[in-house]
Amino acid sequence: MSDVREELRQLVKAAAALHRSEQALIYESVLAVGRLEHRNAAVNLGLSQAKLAAKIHLSRDQYCKRAQVARIILFFPEAGRMLKDGDAELSQLVMLSAKLTRANAHLLLPAVKSMSCEELRRFAARVTPEGEVLAETVATVVVRLELTVAEHKQLDRLREVLAASAHVPSTKEIFMTALSSLLELRDPLRKAERARGRRERQDAATRHAGGGMGKITATEVTSEPAGVKSDTGAYLCATRHGERVHDACPAAAESDTGADLCATRHRARAHDACSAGAESDTGADLCATRHGESPHDAGSVPSSTPARADAAVARQRDAARHRPAVPAAIRHDVWLRDQGRCAWVLEDGSRCEERTMIELDHVEPWCRGGGHTADNLKLACRRHNAGRAAAMLGEQRMREWRTPRRWRAAPP
């Protein structure tokens, strides 16, 4: 592992050197274009600006942008130093070319170092030529959406469904309604927060009943998004959205009978959907992954003999097929504790910022005896989850799991 890390460090150093040299070349290119413009090269050579740009292997757009930045550097040398050191991009300086003045340069140029292009655009819009910063208004983003004719018909149908009380919703209202509904159904953090709210109401009802067995009212039990009103409705809604039944069926999960019904339906659905894939060792992993389990949890355990290896594989395949799902209450606690973010701690002591492709990761893998407990579970992004799995269970195993089935070699 140390050899691999040293090799990666050397690769990082080489990439950094290449990018520094690239930035220096861009800076020299800007200066060269500036000198051509200063001496009116296109006119003196009898060329159009586009043909002059082609002669120096630039597009007309690239030539014009470099000419703009060259003019900025002429009057604001600090911008040239920022470009050469990699603290500023061409696109950022081009964006400022129409706004930059002697009076506001002390505001706009430092902002280039700490803001993205979009943040810089919004900030520059508030800076006046006199160097004053106007009060911040609500930031807006323009979203352009292209639809086929069939997709537009679906949009019109949704507009008809949502129309009520003589009000026909706009496209923005439709989009925000659909977005809110989808987040209510699929966002694990919102599910966890709703579950916590139900537990708090149940505790309050128990205390109000004087320490008795207090029950939740029907309204409190079914405080889920529209469509998750009954056991059958929950099953259909969860099936349509690819979720486990017990995630979207809190009402059924409140009673033993309902919980058994949810679990039975989930197991039947899981085994029906994955019966083909679970016949092979790799298929067992895919089956587990389809139902929200970490890929390495069903991984292999090294064995010294083929017979023991075959037995271990059989046990792991059986465990992957029949491993129970993580209880909803524990899953919700983990999501709330880690706040929907990868919990992996980097070498510099900071925490991974990733919030997409988040998975439940067993600290001690299930195949090695780890359980479904909050202490043994944490959130991990797919990259860190897969990397840890490869370190614990073997790169070959994970490579086989990552390879699409259609790309795998046919068995001899």
Side-chain angles (χ1 to χ4, degrees):
M1 178 61 72
S2 59
D3 293 340
V4 173
R5 289 192 173 183
E6 183 59 31
E7 183 180 346
L8 290 175
R9 289 190 185 99
Q10 294 301 324
L11 185 58
V12 168
K13 289 181 181 179
L18 284 173
H19 293 146
R20 281 196 299 268
S21 61
E22 178 190 29
Q23 206 67 29
L25 286 174
I26 291 175
Y27 174 71
E28 295 296 335
S29 172
V30 168
L31 295 183
V33 170
R35 287 192 292 269
L36 289 174
E37 280 293 288
H38 180 67
R39 301 184 65 176
N40 205 6
V43 173
N44 290 328
L45 294 176
L47 300 172
S48 65
Q49 191 181 64
K51 288 185 178 180
L52 175 61
K55 274 189 172 293
I56 60 176
H57 301 285
L58 292 175
S59 67
R60 184 178 181 183
D61 182 62
Q62 291 173 323
Y63 183 92
C64 291
K65 287 182 177 179
R66 281 164 169 76
Q68 283 180 289
V69 174
R71 285 192 290 272
I72 292 177
I73 293 175
L74 181 63
F75 293 100
F76 302 95
E78 181 186 351
R81 290 191 293 270
M82 292 169 58
L83 180 64
K84 188 176 182 179
D85 295 340
D87 293 330
E89 300 291 336
L90 274 176
S91 57
Q92 293 175 311
L93 295 178
V94 169
M95 186 189 305
L96 295 181
S97 62
K99 294 283 296 184
L100 202 59
T101 65
R102 295 285 185 186
N104 64 22
H106 69 286
L107 294 173
L108 292 176
L109 289 179
V112 172
K113 298 181 180 180
S114 58
M115 296 184 182
S116 65
C117 282
E118 181 60 27
E119 292 171 338
L120 183 62
R121 182 188 65 80
R122 293 199 297 263
F123 177 70
R126 296 166 45 213
V127 177
T128 66
E130 293 76 23
E132 297 179 358
V133 181
L134 302 178
E136 186 173 4
T137 58
V138 177
T140 60
V141 177
V142 177
V143 178
R144 185 170 177 267
L145 184 64
E146 290 187 4
L147 300 175
T148 64
V149 174
E151 291 168 342
H152 193 267
K153 288 182 179 179
Q154 291 181 339
L155 179 64
D156 286 339
R157 176 54 186 155
L158 186 55
R159 194 190 312 274
E160 295 170 355
V161 171
L162 296 178
S165 302
H167 172 68
V168 178
S170 65
T171 302
K172 178 182 177 180
E173 290 173 327
I174 293 173
F175 178 78
M176 294 308 300
T177 301
L179 185 63
S180 177
S181 299
L182 188 58
L183 284 173
E184 285 295 316
L185 284 171
R186 302 300 297 274
D187 186 356
L189 271 178
R190 294 196 184 195
K191 290 180 183 179
E193 289 167 356
R194 291 198 299 270
R196 180 171 60 183
R198 289 194 300 272
R199 290 197 299 269
E200 291 174 352
R201 290 193 296 272
Q202 185 177 18
D203 293 342
T206 302
R207 290 192 298 270
H208 183 70
M213 294 300 292
K215 296 182 180 179
I216 305 176
T217 64
T219 303
E220 291 172 333
V221 170
T222 58
S223 58
E224 292 289 336
V228 189
K229 295 296 184 183
S230 64
D231 183 52
T232 305
Y235 177 71
L236 293 176
C237 182
T239 302
R240 289 172 184 167
H241 295 281
E243 302 174 354
R244 295 192 186 92
V245 175
H246 66 267
D247 288 347
C249 189
E254 293 295 336
S255 65
D256 293 338
T257 305
D260 291 340
L261 180 60
C262 279
T264 302
R265 285 180 174 174
H266 169 55
R267 285 196 297 271
R269 178 166 158 254
H271 283 239
D272 290 345
C274 295
S275 58
E279 293 301 325
S280 65
D281 186 36
T282 305
D285 283 82
L286 294 176
C287 174
T289 303
R290 286 175 187 169
H291 299 285
E293 301 171 357
S294 301
H296 66 273
D297 294 336
S300 60
V301 179
S303 180
S304 57
T305 64
R308 290 176 61 189
D310 291 343
V313 167
R315 288 195 301 271
Q316 292 149 14
R317 181 168 62 244
D318 185 68
R321 293 177 61 182
H322 300 290
R323 186 180 80 175
V326 178
I330 294 176
R331 186 173 63 255
H332 293 157
D333 287 343
V334 174
W335 273 89
L336 286 173
R337 182 194 67 201
D338 295 343
Q339 286 298 300
R341 175 180 162 192
C342 178
W344 190 274
V345 178
L346 306 178
E347 285 190 353
D348 61 1
S350 63
R351 182 177 170 184
C352 178
E353 298 285 345
E354 190 61 63
R355 292 182 180 274
T356 58
M357 300 290 184
I358 297 298
E359 302 168 341
L360 279 176
D361 181 24
H362 288 75
V363 177
E364 181 67 19
W366 178 271
C367 63
R368 296 186 179 178
H372 289 336
T373 63
D375 292 337
N376 193 49
L377 289 168
K378 65 178 181 179
L379 297 185
C381 63
R382 182 165 296 178
R383 180 169 59 89
H384 280 133
N385 194 357
R388 180 172 175 271
M392 295 186 68
L393 305 174
E395 181 61 36
Q396 179 62 30
R397 171 72 175 175
M398 295 308 299
R399 188 179 298 113
E400 292 176 359
W401 178 79
R402 287 193 296 263
T403 303
R405 185 179 297 274
R406 65 181 184 277
W407 291 353
R408 295 173 188 163

